[in-house]
Amino acid sequence: MRSLNELPAGAKAIVASIDGDTRYLSRITSIGITPGCSIKVIKNDSKRPMLVFLRDTMIALNNNECKNIKVEVRGN
Amino acid sequence: MTDGKKTIALLGQPNSGKSTLFNALTGLKQHVGNWPGKTVEKKQGSFMRNGEEFIVTDLPGTYSLSANSDEEIVTRDYISSGAADVVCIMADSSQLERSLFMLSDYAGINVPCFLVLNLADVAKDQGKTIDVSGIRNKLKIPVVLMDATATKKYDDFFVCLEEAFNSKAKLDTSLLENRLESIDGYKELKAVIPDNLIPGCSPVWMAVKSIEGDKVVRAKIENSLKGESKTAYVDIISKFDRGALLTGECKFSFIDDLLKDSVTKTETNIKQTKLDRAITHKFWGKTVVVLLVIGGLLLSFIPAVPLMMLGSVFTAIAVPVRSALESANASPIITGIICDVIFQSLANTVKMLGFAFGITLVFGMFEESGIMARISYVFDNTMSKMGLQGKSVMPFLVSFGCTIGGATSSRVIDNWGQKVLTIALAWAVPCGAAWAIIPMLATNFFGWRAVLVIVAILLVMLVHIWITAKVFGGRLVKKEDRYGIIMELPPYHKPKWGALFRYVLGRTKDMFFRVIKVIIPVCLVFWILSYSAGSIEDSILYKVGTAIEPVTKLFGLNWQLFMAFVASSIGKEGAVGVLTALYSQSGTIYGAVNGTNAAVANSTQLLLSNISGPEALAFMFAITFNVPCVVALAATYQETHSAKWTGIITAYYTVGALIISCIVYHIGLLIM
Ligand SMILES: Nc1nc2c(ncn2[C@@H]2O[C@H](COP(=O)(O)OP(=O)(O)O)[C@@H](O)[C@H]2O)c(=O)[nH]1
């Protein structure tokens, strides 16, 4: 298992678990990120939010907070 | 219900097309205010259908119905208050799975509702087919597939709406419950929760929120329970750790069950267009954004200029009106109030509205098309250091041109506190009027060293912004509200100019009254203070200015400079004119501010021989960091909806400018 923010652009993964307080969990699930959903990293530039694609949507996520999202990397 | 009128509330995640539907339904019949006791914008409107009036409430665009922000609390409370007869839940058909989350979060609320699957055209272009009747059978509420931008084709929507009013159908939760039952403890939890504890909210909904750790719901339930059931409740909920993940998974499984057999999905691919790659580029992104904003600012003059010219009409009319009044021997006070205050205020207001119209249109287009979300992404890191969203960079950039535009363009910031903070900080950015006079003044006084003055001003600007962010940041953007970005980047849409145009025009009319309410009184007060029957010495401003000169001298401002400083809060362009009028003893202060005085020969010489170097330096800083102008103040009031904060910011800048002036003056004395 790795943290989402360690993945390079182009990587695909499945969300395994998410840490954080109630508020963060509620925000992250309501935008569509839940355990089991597949995710693709579009951009991961330092000092920028991450860009990920999931459930037909492009989403920007605070890079630091992506440490909370643990993923299982998936081959192509 | 409101006075027996039928009321609809629009609920949906951002980008589900809520505003589009709201504007299409209500047209110009809308009213923007605040939710009582909250700093969240409340939009209501109305429309007539078959002789009946319908009220539409546009609920804040939130991602869920939890209680983590004022927006969410407002939304929740409004729905459970029963103020709406029917809730219209909106989802984006092109990302149905994700955007139905709001529906799944609504499940368990007993207020009648219907579902709008919007952006049908986009889903169709993606090759998705959606079977409405399948979804409708599972949910047991009316469902309509529509394109909210096709305003001529709303028939299906209205059929659905009427059906919802007639049948008062409530969302069937059995499909969701099937999933929830897999959560350990859910059933027991639901069993101990009493019915009707929060009006409109069923035990199913309350159980879900309890699992998610919703403090408000938990407290309500705990307080209502006694004895054994209370212990049971507390016992069960204490076992849930990260409950939002459990319910989140259930909700999305429920959505899967709902869409299974009803949506044929072809995998959508992510297309990053050229523009997208340029904007989100690691090195060039910021440059591209700055160029886009500058381009937008220039573009906004195209629709603005004709309207701004309309403003000059009032200035022109004032001339014959004045001669007519004078030849009729009207009292100079009446003439002054009519021509100087009323006509001049009208002229300024119309000019401002013209400019605001252009800005709102162009930056509204940025918002609509999806560019704004990219700007937020690119500047997120920089702006979040001040507790702001990435979008806040835009009002700053626009403020280099004009603070009025800066304040107006802050409309796209969806959090009130962040909006007010952005405007408060953007005031520190020297505007076009400052750039028009400061380099000229500095060159006259200091020759080539003017460059140093400009650099110093820019440095002071940065420090000012930093300090101001510290001063107001804590109160406007609470610590717990400062979290990282979690935001959708919607695909690019072609903006619908027609709808946008009508909407902005409607808003502009609204603005006229708000703005004129601020400008006329301020101008009137300033006019009274500067009024003199004969020479300038008769005016109140002169008397006060000379009386307190010993104090203002500490700031490096003699009475003439101080009066020009005061005048510069009405408009900076006039500051030099005021000085000229005072030193040459010709014209009036009010005339100088509005540029209607006769020109004075050798004004530069006049200033050089009367003002010392340190004084000139202090003055330049004082007017640069003073209140931008009365119209910017009005625009700030218009956008923040808060007289209190407009007042606080104004007072802060007036005092701040004097402090800066004082520091600069004493440094000036040391080095010159
Ligand atoms: N093609 C298409 N675009 C739409 C539709 N509804 C809304 N939009 C566009 O989607 C974007 C977001 O809509 P908006 O009403 O601002 O969403 P809100 O955030 O829910 O208020 C805008 O660019 C709209 O023009 C639709 O049915 N079809």
Side-chain angles (χ1 to χ4, degrees):
Chain A
M1 265 209 303
R2 294 168 68 182
S3 293
L4 180 60
N5 68 335
E6 293 165 7
L7 303 192
K12 290 179 177 176
I14 308 261
V15 176
S17 76
I18 308 170
D19 288 323
D21 58 12
T22 307
R23 186 191 184 103
Y24 177 71
L25 293 177
S26 136
R27 288 174 59 235
I28 204 89
T29 48
S30 66
I31 205 158
I33 303 181
T34 50
C37 90
S38 51
I39 208 166
K40 180 173 175 185
V41 179
I42 306 296
K43 261 177 181 289
N44 186 1
D45 297 336
S46 57
K47 296 199 179 166
R48 281 279 174 83
M50 284 191 83
L51 279 187
V52 299
F53 191 76
L54 69 135
R55 300 192 204 267
D56 291 347
T57 313
M58 177 111 80
I59 292 169
L61 297 172
N62 177 294
N63 212 311
N64 201 30
E65 286 179 354
C66 285
K67 283 182 192 148
N68 293 327
I69 304 175
K70 301 282 185 261
V71 295
E72 212 67 76
V73 180
R74 199 175 55 150
N76 276 319
Chain B
M1 249 198 268
T2 317
D3 318 325
K5 288 171 196 156
K6 293 182 168 176
T7 303
I8 312 160
L10 302 183
L11 174 71
Q13 291 196 338
N15 301 310
S16 57
K18 256 164 17 77
S19 326
T20 308
L21 183 66
F22 179 75
N23 291 334
L25 288 176
T26 61
L28 298 183
K29 285 194 192 153
Q30 29 178 285
H31 173 77
V32 183
N34 272 1
W35 290 92
K38 289 274 175 351
T39 49
V40 178
E41 200 166 83
K42 176 179 187 175
K43 287 204 285 178
Q44 258 190 337
S46 65
F47 67 92
M48 295 293 289
R49 176 137 181 106
N50 302 332
E52 256 190 303
E53 185 169 10
F54 287 78
I55 308 283
V56 190
T57 307
D58 191 9
L59 294 169
T62 59
Y63 280 102
S64 73
L65 293 175
S66 45
N68 292 322
S69 66
D70 279 356
E71 282 81 2
E72 289 170 348
I73 293 171
V74 160
T75 304
R76 232 160 84 157
D77 291 352
Y78 182 80
I79 292 173
S80 68
S81 76
D85 301 294
V86 164
V87 175
C88 167
I89 305 174
M90 303 195 58
D92 173 353
S93 312
S94 68
Q95 348 174 316
L96 210 43
E97 190 185 318
R98 198 186 60 76
S99 75
L100 278 175
F101 186 86
M102 187 56 100
L103 175 103
S104 71
D105 213 28
Y106 185 88
I109 292 182
N110 287 326
V111 179
C113 62
F114 68 105
L115 175 63
V116 169
L117 303 177
N118 195 25
L119 292 106
D121 52 321
V122 181
K124 195 171 161 206
D125 289 345
Q126 292 174 343
K128 283 180 188 153
T129 57
I130 299 171
D131 168 26
V132 174
S133 61
I135 297 176
R136 164 188 194 121
N137 289 340
K138 289 178 191 161
L139 295 176
K140 313 238 168 25
I141 52 167
V143 180
V144 61
L145 187 63
M146 75 183 288
D147 167 4
T149 58
T151 45
K152 301 257 163 7
K153 297 185 209 153
Y154 268 36
D155 293 348
D156 291 351
F157 170 81
F158 284 118
V159 168
C160 209
L161 176 72
E162 267 151 41
E163 196 191 326
F165 270 99
N166 293 333
S167 71
K168 299 260 184 269
K170 290 165 189 168
L171 189 74
D172 186 342
T173 54
S174 51
L175 212 53
L176 177 64
E177 280 206 82
N178 288 346
R179 291 292 181 171
L180 290 173
E181 277 161 13
S182 69
I183 298 178
D184 223 12
Y186 165 78
K187 274 190 192 157
E188 293 78 3
L189 197 57
K190 190 182 137 196
V192 294
I193 296 174
D195 237 338
N196 273 329
L197 190 56
I198 302 178
C201 302
S202 72
V204 176
W205 191 81
M206 308 261 280
V208 170
K209 290 296 155 201
S210 299
I211 296 173
E212 286 167 9
D214 188 309
K215 288 198 189 72
V216 182
V217 170
R218 279 189 177 184
K220 264 249 161 66
I221 297 175
E222 267 183 57
N223 290 337
S224 78
L225 294 177
K226 284 187 193 68
E228 248 171 66
S229 48
K230 182 170 183 157
T231 349
Y233 178 78
V234 175
D235 189 43
I236 304 170
I237 57 169
S238 66
K239 291 202 185 98
F240 288 110
D241 161 45
R242 295 183 287 166
L245 294 185
L246 298 174
T247 59
E249 273 191 271
C250 287
K251 286 173 192 167
F252 279 107
S253 310
F254 154 71
I255 294 170
D256 285 340
D257 296 342
L258 186 64
L259 299 182
K260 193 175 58 188
D261 314 322
S262 296
V263 176
T264 56
K265 182 180 167 181
T266 45
E267 191 78 23
T268 33
N269 284 314
I270 331 123
K271 289 186 298 255
Q272 263 209 314
T273 56
K274 256 207 193 108
L275 177 64
D276 219 6
R277 270 191 233 117
I279 296 187
T280 58
H281 192 278
K282 196 170 168 182
F283 301 113
W284 300 114
K286 287 193 177 169
T287 318
V288 173
V289 167
V290 171
L291 290 177
L292 269 172
V293 175
I294 294 173
L297 186 60
L298 295 177
L299 199 65
S300 68
F301 277 101
I302 298 174
V305 166
L307 280 168
M308 290 168 83
M309 274 155 52
L310 205 64
S312 317
V313 171
F314 287 102
T315 321
I317 300 176
V319 178
V321 171
R322 185 190 299 275
S323 356
L325 285 169
E326 277 169 359
S327 57
N329 273 328
S331 105
I333 296 188
I334 305 262
T335 314
I337 290 181
I338 293 178
C339 299
D340 290 335
V341 179
I342 300 193
F343 274 101
Q344 202 56 50
S345 298
L346 280 171
N348 285 340
T349 307
V350 171
K351 280 184 199 160
M352 175 226 159
L353 290 183
F355 185 53
F357 177 81
I359 291 274
T360 320
L361 194 65
V362 170
F363 290 101
M365 187 275 283
F366 274 26
E367 174 85 349
E368 281 258 301
S369 61
I371 292 179
M372 200 63 80
R374 273 76 184 172
I375 295 181
S376 245
Y377 160 77
V378 173
F379 275 94
D380 179 68
N381 233 18
T382 318
M383 304 312 283
S384 64
K385 293 196 182 97
M386 290 179 272
L388 298 175
Q389 314 176 3
K391 284 177 195 174
S392 302
V393 70
M394 215 182 36
F396 282 90
L397 292 173
V398 173
S399 290
F400 277 105
C402 174
T403 318
I404 305 164
T408 309
S409 65
S410 74
R411 175 165 306 167
V412 296
I413 299 167
D414 45 27
N415 174 290
W416 182 84
Q418 290 180 324
K419 189 194 298 190
V420 179
L421 184 57
T422 303
I423 298 178
L425 299 179
W427 274 32
V429 175
C431 73
W435 293 124
I437 54 174
I438 300 298
M440 186 260 305
L441 269 182
T443 313
N444 284 344
F445 276 91
F446 308 115
W448 69 269
R449 291 184 198 84
V451 181
L452 301 179
V453 177
I454 306 289
V455 172
I457 283 181
L458 288 173
L459 290 177
V460 170
M461 171 191 87
L462 292 178
V463 176
H464 197 313
I465 289 177
W466 186 76
I467 293 175
T468 310
K470 288 267 178 272
V471 172
F472 293 131
R475 280 179 65 197
L476 286 169
V477 189
K478 292 192 206 84
K479 246 225 153 59
E480 65 268 23
D481 286 342
R482 298 186 180 209
Y483 38 67
I485 188 173
I486 298 185
M487 182 190 68
E488 180 198 350
L489 258 64
Y492 286 105
H493 293 283
K494 242 197 239 116
K496 314 277 175 194
W497 284 103
L500 194 60
F501 195 81
R502 274 195 306 271
Y503 160 69
V504 175
L505 208 58
R507 282 297 284 254
T508 309
K509 191 189 71 184
D510 219 37
M511 261 172 93
F512 178 82
F513 294 105
R514 282 175 158 273
V515 167
I516 200 90
K517 252 188 356 213
V518 177
I519 294 186
I520 288 191
V522 175
C523 287
L524 185 64
V525 168
F526 183 65
W527 182 84
I528 293 171
L529 291 178
S530 62
Y531 176 77
S532 60
S535 70
I536 282 171
E537 275 104 52
D538 295 336
S539 67
I540 302 175
L541 207 52
Y542 170 85
K543 287 179 183 136
V544 176
T546 42
I548 62 169
E549 194 180 29
V551 179
T552 59
K553 278 238 175 192
L554 296 177
F555 305 123
L557 305 175
N558 59 27
W559 73 266
Q560 290 97 336
L561 289 172
F562 184 70
M563 282 166 80
F565 167 76
V566 174
S568 75
S569 26
I570 303 295
K572 285 179 184 168
E573 305 89 324
V576 176
V578 173
L579 281 181
T580 315
L582 291 176
Y583 284 118
S584 67
Q585 298 282 321
S586 68
T588 64
I589 301 172
Y590 199 87
V593 171
N594 289 299
T596 50
N597 272 0
V600 173
N602 272 332
S603 60
T604 311
Q605 212 41 54
L606 199 64
L607 298 185
L608 283 178
S609 56
N610 280 296
I611 304 169
S612 74
E615 280 174 338
L617 199 61
F619 178 69
M620 282 178 230
F621 278 81
I623 59 171
T624 303
F625 294 104
N626 193 6
V627 175
C629 64
V630 61
V631 191
L633 192 145
T636 300
Y637 172 63
Q638 152 72 20
E639 292 308 323
T640 60
H641 295 276
S642 165
K644 179 184 141 199
W645 274 98
T646 310
I648 292 178
I649 298 172
T650 306
Y652 174 82
Y653 271 85
T654 307
V655 174
L658 290 174
I659 294 175
I660 294 172
S661 162
C662 178
I663 298 171
V664 170
Y665 177 61
H666 290 280
I667 295 176
L669 285 179
L670 289 177
I671 58 175
M672 273 187 250

